[in-house]
Amino acid sequence: MPTSRGLMKGNPPVPEALSRRSCALWLAAAALPGACPARAAVNSAAPATTADTLPLRVVASFSILADLAQVVGGDAVTVSTLVPANADAHVFSPRPAHAQMVAQAQLLVVNGLGFEGWLQRLVQASGYKGPVLELGRSITPRRQGGGPDPHAWQDLEKAQRYVAALLEAFSAARPQQASAMAARAAQYRQQLQALDARIRQRVAALPADRRRVVSPHDAFAYFGAAYGIEFLPVRGRSSSSEASAADVARLIGILRKQRANAVFVENVSDPRLLERIAAEAGVGVGGRLYSDALSAPGTDADTYLKMFTHNANAILGALEAAR
Ligand code: ZN
């Protein structure tokens, strides 16, 4: 497991902002990451004005933001992802390759609100001096346990704010493609709103006593608040925090007493604890939720829209079937 020292050691020399821009331009043309010629050679190889027509190099902190960035940016951006599909951003350990990825970015897109605890160290190690777009600043976060709850992407309305913030940043960086990106964002917003309307219709048909769900970590409070469904997390806001014996006993008690609407496992946490709780309470596991990461490319939750659709179908399907 890399330490901060290891990260620093493997880090390339810190370029100053302007030369990095030119250097990166050359890298894009020559496809030779890691090599950077003198600036004069860069300028003769590619005039500075070309820079604004090349795709904006975006590095997103995790897969969900990467997908939103790609949808909005289209061919005006190239998006790389630090924490990949099915991986847990709460316990991510950046390696030197991640520092190199950040060093070559023109825009770093992160959630903020305390979600990427490893980010500051990574940015320092990379020498990145460019802009950091913190999407969490575009919303008013829920407060929980004395801090902001970072999982705002689990609310379709808040995701639309993220989309608007991405559109604004991308349009400023690539004004020539701004109208095309605005059209993409508008179309995407319609898809998010249509999904939201379908979910609300199904929730409205649910009996009031059938809206209680157990999830592995506290990633669904925004979803719960948006749709009036109560999520009982086994762990806290971070998937790395341990569930105490008392927490587990409390949940088993609640599940038994409430006739258990549904229990879910998730893609970024070990499912065994939840499976044990469900078995002890005599409740079936309602399926897998995607909380903080998309599923692998080509599978059923490999975009934000598919992820949200999957989660809503799993949650509502289990609640509708509950007796
Ligand atoms: Zn989380």
Side-chain angles (χ1 to χ4, degrees):
M1 187 160 294
T3 62
S4 63
R5 264 182 86 131
L7 195 59
M8 295 297 287
K9 263 196 211 158
N11 184 43
V14 176
E16 57 95 9
L18 277 174
S19 68
R20 188 182 64 237
R21 183 185 173 88
S22 306
C23 175
L25 180 63
W26 185 86
L27 289 176
L32 278 175
C36 185
R39 199 193 297 188
V42 170
N43 289 341
S44 65
T49 49
T50 310
D52 290 339
T53 63
L54 289 173
L56 183 73
R57 282 189 310 282
V58 176
V59 171
S61 57
F62 66 109
S63 54
I64 292 169
L65 301 189
D67 179 62
L68 294 179
Q70 191 62 69
V71 167
V72 174
D75 57 10
V77 300
T78 57
V79 183
S80 313
T81 313
L82 294 169
V83 183
N86 284 325
D88 185 353
H90 290 289
V91 294
F92 179 61
S93 290
R95 297 189 303 275
H98 296 113
Q100 285 173 17
M101 200 190 281
V102 172
Q104 291 170 24
Q106 291 171 306
L107 177 65
L108 189 51
V109 173
V110 305
N111 187 73
L113 305 175
F115 185 60
E116 301 98 338
W118 37 268
L119 184 76
Q120 197 179 357
R121 203 188 73 187
L122 175 62
V123 169
Q124 272 171 2
S126 72
Y128 178 72
K129 298 282 191 290
V132 178
L133 177 61
E134 221 177 290
L135 294 176
R137 288 180 181 269
S138 64
I139 58 127
T140 304
R142 293 177 57 78
R143 310 291 299 181
Q144 228 164 24
D149 177 353
H151 303 90
W153 56 88
Q154 295 295 354
D155 177 332
L156 288 169
E157 193 273 327
K158 290 187 166 46
Q160 291 176 57
R161 309 280 189 89
Y162 280 22
V163 165
L166 287 164
L167 176 62
E168 188 182 335
F170 292 171
S171 300
R174 291 294 179 273
Q176 288 176 322
Q177 283 135 302
S179 62
M181 289 191 280
R184 294 174 66 89
Q187 191 189 23
Y188 190 53
R189 186 171 301 160
Q190 280 180 0
Q191 290 179 291
L192 297 179
Q193 286 169 352
L195 175 59
D196 183 60
R198 288 198 299 275
I199 295 171
R200 285 183 191 284
Q201 223 169 17
R202 280 177 76 177
V203 171
L206 273 180
D209 64 349
R210 221 186 286 170
R211 297 183 179 201
R212 191 166 277 193
V213 170
V214 172
S215 66
H217 84 287
D218 199 355
F220 292 95
Y222 286 93
F223 187 104
Y227 300 117
I229 292 170
E230 187 182 358
F231 282 81
L232 303 165
V234 177
R235 299 186 185 86
R237 270 199 312 284
S238 164
S239 56
S240 59
S241 56
E242 286 296 315
S244 70
D247 287 341
V248 172
R250 179 179 57 86
L251 286 166
I252 291 171
I254 288 171
L255 281 173
R256 285 187 174 140
K257 203 170 156 188
Q258 303 288 330
R259 291 198 295 165
N261 299 144
V263 176
F264 290 92
V265 297
E266 66 183 6
N267 65 328
V268 300
S269 300
D270 186 337
R272 285 174 294 186
L273 176 63
L274 264 290
E275 286 166 354
R276 183 163 71 83
I277 290 173
E280 285 191 34
V283 179
V285 173
R288 170 184 294 189
L289 300 181
Y290 294 92
S291 50
D292 299 0
L294 301 178
S295 66
T299 58
D300 63 345
D302 61 353
T303 68
Y304 173 72
L305 203 55
K306 284 164 75 179
M307 178 199 89
F308 210 98
T309 304
H310 168 98
N311 286 346
N313 282 338
I315 292 164
L316 294 171
L319 293 181
E320 284 160 356
R323 288 284 176 272

